[in-house]
Amino acid sequence: MDVTTSKSASVPRDTPIRNAMLKAAAGVLSDAYTHGLAEIRGLARPPQPKSPFLKAEPTVLPALGDNTPLTPEGRKSLEQYWEVYEQVKQDSSTPVKAKTLERRRVAWTEFHELTGSSLPIFKVQKSHIWAYRDALKRAPARSGSISELRRLSFPEKLEKARNGSNYAKLDPGTIKDRLRQIQVVLQLAVIRGHLVSNPAVGVTESSSVTRPSRRAYTTKELNVIFTSAPFDRVWPLEDDNTTDLPTYWFTAIRSGSRYGYFSTV
């Protein structure tokens, strides 16, 4: 009904959208009637709704710091997303080999068991990846070959290792590989448009950033430097005017009335 013009429009009864809406409304009203009748009768447990609109689980809304789910796949739980990854990847033109896929599945299973299997994938943050990295450093190695560890979940294996059991720990190469497998799965989510960004990028096996080391001067090299111009000069203390030099210098060595200088250029 158009209130401003006092005109109305009729919708044909055979339109699919009208029939679908009426069917949905009828299902909801039927469940409401059944639930109300159960309350009148004093039933302790009201019957479960039959309408799919009432049985649907509540939607988990994004919060500050979350990723952005772009498709329904981006809202899948961590445990459920492995099936999405495996199907998409293995049906593509570049499927992975069976051994690589198994390594990837092991890493993903460990990750979702530690983080929370029901956690939506769009809620995975970089802190979750770092927590998994830290857990890998405490995890027992070759747990699949040890009978008492084989059937345990990843958190249970960590607990076993924490309680003083003398298990060998994972080597850095294995930890690096596990982190890479997690990054690869999440990267496919970005490539396929399920998520906006990959939270595993930048998480490494080492907690420190590797910086290139610089070689120190040898004694022979220092002698060559300080016997060459302009270091071979004796600068009088009463007339120490170094501002005429074409470059800037700072005092590095002082021995009696002789100065040595290092170039800052």
Side-chain angles (χ1 to χ4, degrees):
M1 173 72 72
D2 189 335
V3 178
T4 59
T5 60
S6 300
K7 294 181 180 180
S8 62
S10 61
V11 179
R13 294 186 178 182
D14 59 346
T15 56
I17 184 63
R18 179 180 183 275
N19 296 335
M21 292 176 65
L22 289 175
K23 185 177 180 179
V28 173
L29 290 173
S30 176
D31 283 330
Y33 174 80
T34 305
H35 191 276
L37 190 61
E39 287 186 345
I40 294 173
R41 293 179 177 177
L43 297 180
R45 290 185 178 180
Q48 293 296 319
K50 296 180 181 180
S51 171
F53 298 96
L54 296 179
K55 290 193 297 184
E57 296 182 0
T59 302
V60 180
L61 298 177
L64 184 64
D66 289 346
N67 213 320
T68 303
L70 301 177
T71 63
E73 288 82 0
R75 292 183 176 274
K76 294 278 188 182
S77 69
L78 284 173
E79 186 174 15
Q80 293 170 339
Y81 193 78
W82 174 254
E83 296 181 5
V84 176
Y85 171 82
E86 186 174 14
Q87 181 177 355
V88 170
K89 188 61 181 176
Q90 297 309 93
D91 289 346
S92 69
S93 59
T94 56
V96 297
K97 295 181 179 180
K99 290 185 178 180
T100 302
L101 187 66
E102 177 60 18
R103 295 204 329 269
R104 204 157 290 172
R105 184 195 64 79
V106 169
W108 190 259
T109 300
E110 289 180 345
F111 178 63
H112 79 66
E113 286 180 345
L114 179 71
T115 308
S117 299
S118 61
L119 185 74
I121 189 172
F122 77 86
K123 283 192 169 290
V124 175
Q125 300 182 13
K126 194 175 291 290
S127 59
H128 294 122
I129 313 297
W130 279 110
Y132 177 54
R133 194 293 305 260
D134 294 341
L136 287 172
K137 288 182 172 292
R138 307 189 307 269
R142 299 181 295 276
S143 59
S145 304
I146 303 174
S147 58
E148 61 181 354
L149 299 178
R150 189 179 300 122
R151 298 185 182 278
L152 298 181
S153 66
F154 186 61
E156 290 172 338
K157 293 175 183 179
L158 294 175
E159 186 66 20
K160 275 275 190 180
R162 190 180 70 86
N163 288 335
S165 299
N166 191 23
Y167 299 116
K169 297 296 187 293
L170 294 175
D171 60 89
T174 301
I175 296 175
K176 182 178 180 180
D177 181 72
R178 298 278 174 86
L179 292 173
R180 182 179 178 276
Q181 305 310 327
I182 300 300
Q183 181 176 345
V184 167
V185 175
L186 291 172
Q187 187 60 31
L188 181 125
V190 175
I191 293 173
R192 294 303 294 253
H194 304 159
L195 298 175
V196 168
S197 60
N198 185 346
V201 173
V203 180
T204 62
E205 180 276 328
S206 176
S207 58
S208 60
V209 178
T210 302
R211 296 179 178 177
S213 58
R214 293 182 295 180
R215 183 179 63 85
Y217 285 115
T218 65
T219 303
K220 183 178 180 180
E221 290 170 335
L222 288 173
N223 287 331
V224 171
I225 291 173
F226 287 107
T227 55
S228 304
F231 305 109
D232 56 345
R233 288 187 55 187
V234 176
W235 295 88
L237 289 176
E238 63 276 7
D239 188 24
D240 189 9
N241 183 11
T242 62
T243 58
D244 295 334
L245 292 177
T247 57
Y248 295 95
W249 306 89
F250 67 91
T251 304
I253 300 174
R254 178 177 179 178
S255 177
S257 61
R258 184 177 178 85
Y259 284 81
Y261 299 92
F262 286 106
S263 172
T264 60
V265 177

